[in-house]
Structures are given as C-alpha cells and as structure tokens.
Amino acid sequence: MNTQITSDQIEFYRENGFLVIDDFLQGAELLSWQDAVDAAVAEFMKRDDMYHNQKGGDSYYGNVFIQCVNLWKMSEKVKQLILAPELGRMAADLAGTSGVRLYHDHAMFKQPWANPTNFHVDNPYDPFYSHQAIMFWVALDDATIQNGCLYFLPGTHKTSGFEVGGSLGEVGIGGLFREYPEWAEIEPYAAEMKAGDGVFISGMVAHAAGPNMTTHSRRAFAMLFMPEDATFNGKKSALPDEVYAKLKTGDMLVDDEHLPLIFSYQDSG
Ligand SMILES: O=C(O)CCC(=O)C(=O)O
Ligand SMILES: [Fe+2]
C-alpha cells in the first residue's frame, strides 16, 4: 500500500477537492483486494436482508451501478483491508482533522451499459454535515473514458452547501447545474485511473462518472470517513437501524462497533 502523502498533495487536495494516489495497490495486494471485494459482493447479492440498489429494477438509478454497502461487516478479509490505520491517517491529514471513523464502505460495480453517475455532492446525503467528510475510492479495474471513470469539478468543494446534493436519478448527468448554474462553466477533470490507483474525494466536491460502454464491469470499492468529532444531523442515510434508533440530533457519532475509529492523533499521542 502506497500511503505516503506529501505537503504538495495536501495542498492539491485542499485546492481541488480530490487527489489521485497512483499505485496505491500493486501486484499481490491488488489481487487480494479484488478477490476480497468480488467474493463479498457475490455473497451480498445472494442475500435479501442487505441493501443493494439493483432492487431499483428497470429504473434509471437502478442501472447506474451495483452498490453494496458495508462489505466489511460480512467479510473478514475486507475488514482486515480497510481497518488499516495508515489509510485513516492519510484521510485525516488531507481533510485536516485529528482522526477519522469509518462511516461505511461500499462497492460500486458499473456493469456493461450502465447509466452515467450524474454529477452530485456526497455529504448532503450523509448523517453528519462536515467540510472534512472524505472518501477514498479505489479502482479495482482500470477506470477509463470508455467504462465509466470518475469526473470532478475542481474547486467546487469551496462553494457547495449542505442542502443540495443532486440526484443520481432521471434528472440526467447535469441536473445538479440547475441548483449551481455557475458550476456549468467549470471544465470537468476526467480521472482515468489504473487498477490499484485510488482517489480521495471531498464529501463537498461535485463528481460524476461516465456510462460503461464496454462489455466488462468497472469495479470500484470506496470507504467513507467522517471526522472523529462528527455530530448527527438527523438523517438516517446508511446508518444501521440500531445506531440510528439511539441517536438524537447533535449527538456525537461515536459507535465503536458500527462506526469504528480508524485513526486518531489523540490515540497515538
Ligand atoms: O463509482 C461511481 O460511479 C460513483 C462513485 C461515487 O459517486 C461515490 O462513491 O460517492
Ligand atoms: Fe459520490
């Protein structure tokens, strides 16, 4: 795992709202992530009790990607991979926070002929509001213009708000620009990535992905981190039922079983 972060990279992230990490995984490590995520997704799809958006059937959103949330809870292998404190330290350093908890992980497999992932901002959908929300998205296949690589609107994390996130449904790729007309002038950055590259994505930056115009799945696996001082904003979002049931708006999100602390400078001194 390539987990070094330079001050230039931190500056790039703060300026643009995203940062690609080349060669995050290579060789045997990449193979073990691919195998662990593939096996967990296959298991997940067999179960009725787990959320995945293929239940959307023929809808536009139902055909954006197969999304499986919280693979770490059903796969010991995935759990070992993502609870690595080095990853949490990278996320904390980039976001500028003293530590991070895992909010959830998710696999996003963009199947052949999948619809584009419309431009959207993530954090407005989260159960906490924070400019320090940060996700790490790992390409398990090469992500290309043909098969649905990510696109970013650089700098939009500086002007986005918590109210409007955009929709992955029928509004189309640019539906978000109805809410943020000034963003329609910003040239998107196409983040083509090799399998094993990763990208840190601010919870506040506008991003999208193209359709998959190939005969192969575009596999990705992502971890959403929240700052260790995040407080609950009242939205259930992807919180487990039992966590949500106990929360009042304003409470700190500190559940060690479901929202594990991945890294904290306060712990490590
Ligand atoms: O993988 C994709 O197509 C989109 C990913 C994304 O928007 C997310 O994970 O927040
Ligand atoms: Fe997103």
Side-chain angles (χ1 to χ4, degrees):
M1 262 184 349
N2 168 15
T3 58
Q4 296 306 310
I5 295 267
T6 65
S7 53
D8 283 355
Q9 286 176 306
I10 294 178
E11 198 178 315
F12 184 96
Y13 177 82
R14 304 256 172 102
E15 194 53 34
N16 293 285
F18 66 95
L19 174 72
V20 175
I21 307 290
D22 287 323
D23 302 320
F24 169 66
L25 302 171
Q26 285 178 294
E29 262 185 334
L30 173 58
L31 279 176
S32 69
W33 280 59
Q34 287 166 329
D35 289 350
V37 173
D38 267 350
V41 166
E43 178 65 28
F44 200 106
M45 298 302 285
K46 285 193 237 148
R47 289 171 56 161
D48 272 353
D49 57 332
M50 306 295 266
Y51 169 80
H52 65 79
N53 74 336
Q54 287 299 287
K55 289 174 185 156
D58 286 341
S59 71
Y60 183 97
Y61 176 56
N63 292 286
V64 170
F65 39 44
I66 295 174
Q67 180 190 32
C68 301
V69 176
N70 278 336
L71 295 181
W72 73 278
K73 289 191 175 173
M74 47 182 286
S75 159
E76 196 53 40
K77 264 174 112 179
V78 172
K79 185 172 171 181
Q80 293 314 317
L81 297 174
I82 71 168
L83 295 186
E86 298 91 326
L87 263 181
R89 183 186 41 76
M90 291 165 93
D93 288 349
L94 290 168
T97 175
S98 59
V100 294
R101 285 181 183 272
L102 183 74
Y103 163 35
H104 68 76
D105 69 32
H106 61 173
M108 282 155 300
F109 286 13
K110 218 176 230 308
Q111 301 293 77
W113 329 128
N115 290 323
T117 312
N118 297 340
F119 272 108
H120 66 282
V121 179
D122 291 336
N123 187 251
Y125 293 103
D126 293 338
F128 59 97
Y129 293 134
S130 175
H131 286 96
Q132 291 162 322
I134 184 168
M135 173 170 73
F136 190 50
W137 186 103
V138 180
L140 299 178
D141 292 300
D142 292 348
T144 65
I145 303 284
Q146 286 79 13
N147 74 0
C149 70
L150 294 174
Y151 292 79
F152 297 97
L153 298 183
T156 45
H157 63 305
K158 295 180 180 174
T159 54
S160 53
F162 296 128
E163 304 78 27
V164 180
S167 163
L168 297 186
E170 271 117 38
V171 295
I173 300 176
L176 182 64
F177 301 129
R178 288 186 215 147
E179 311 288 345
Y180 289 101
E182 65 284 9
W183 288 357
E185 307 297 319
I186 302 173
E187 199 58 38
Y189 174 83
E192 290 203 272
M193 290 163 61
K194 303 181 302 298
D197 293 349
V199 59
F200 282 95
I201 305 174
S202 163
M204 298 304 286
V205 79
H207 57 285
N212 186 349
M213 302 295 275
T214 74
T215 55
H216 300 281
S217 178
R218 184 230 66 189
R219 294 169 300 168
F221 180 70
M223 291 137 272
L224 281 78
F225 298 106
M226 50 188 194
E228 62 181 340
D229 59 356
T231 56
F232 181 53
N233 64 13
K235 288 191 177 150
K236 176 166 188 306
S237 194
L239 287 175
D241 293 342
E242 60 209 272
V243 177
Y244 176 68
K246 284 186 253 161
L247 285 169
K248 297 189 305 299
T249 301
D251 285 352
M252 286 198 51
L253 288 164
V254 289
D255 189 303
D256 285 330
E257 185 188 344
H258 295 282
L259 309 169
L261 187 67
I262 307 290
F263 174 80
S264 174
Y265 280 108
Q266 295 176 32
D267 268 8
S268 57

